[in-house]
Amino acid sequence: MLLFDATGTKGGALPRKLQDDLVQAAYYYAKQLKLNRFNGIVNIKVPRKKGYIDGAVGGYCSADRFEHQDGNKYWQVDIDLANVTKVEMIQNLAHEMIHAKQFLKKELSTHMDTWKGIKFETEDGTGFNLDSPWEVEAYSSENELYENYINDGGHYGRRK
């Protein structure tokens, strides 16, 4: 089972409503992306500073698999979201959850250099390219994922 948490980048508290909304959206996205069979934690972090990351980026996603002292393997997914409007954060979260899916289903290597078994290299060596297949998939699917969330009431799993 995946567990979700939303905090400030240094572990500080977010406003409770924002924290709840981000976690609920993440649970919804995980269900839609069929991630329920994976074990681990998804940490969603939002900085205090308002605005996009590096002036233009809505979020980053990274993942790693580790063996716990109980002998089981778990995933740790870290999602850094830009501190923008709540609507933009939930939209950006859809994009980053698609990357989480890619990592967990081993479509994308955790080093972000291998897609479905094929090694990719960028000219600058950063591994980041908007034309990479993992970005193409994330950009082409994020709006549908977000729209499904909104059409389902935008409150999946929320206690009434």
Side-chain angles (χ1 to χ4, degrees), residues 126-154:
T126 64
F128 180 77
N129 184 335
L130 291 176
D131 294 332
S132 64
W134 52 90
E135 288 296 343
V136 169
E137 179 187 34
Y139 280 111
S140 68
S141 302
E142 67 183 30
N143 288 333
E144 181 181 355
L145 191 59
Y146 172 75
E147 290 298 325
N148 288 344
Y149 176 68
I150 296 305
N151 291 337
D152 282 346

Side-chain angles (χ1 to χ4, degrees), residues 18 34 41 48 65-66 86 89 92 101 121 125 128 148-149 153 155 157:
L18 175 60
K34 299 180 180 12
I41 186 161
R48 280 192 183 173
R65 197 158 185 216
F66 64 94
K86 183 170 30 172
M89 281 191 254
N92 293 337
K101 183 250 338 163
E121 293 183 28
F128 180 77
N148 288 344
Y149 176 68
H155 59 272

Side-chain angles (χ1 to χ4, degrees), residues 3-7 19 23 41-45:
L3 302 175
F4 297 85
D5 188 32
T7 64
Q19 180 184 25
V23 167
I41 186 161
V42 177
N43 298 304
I44 303 164
K45 297 176 267 177

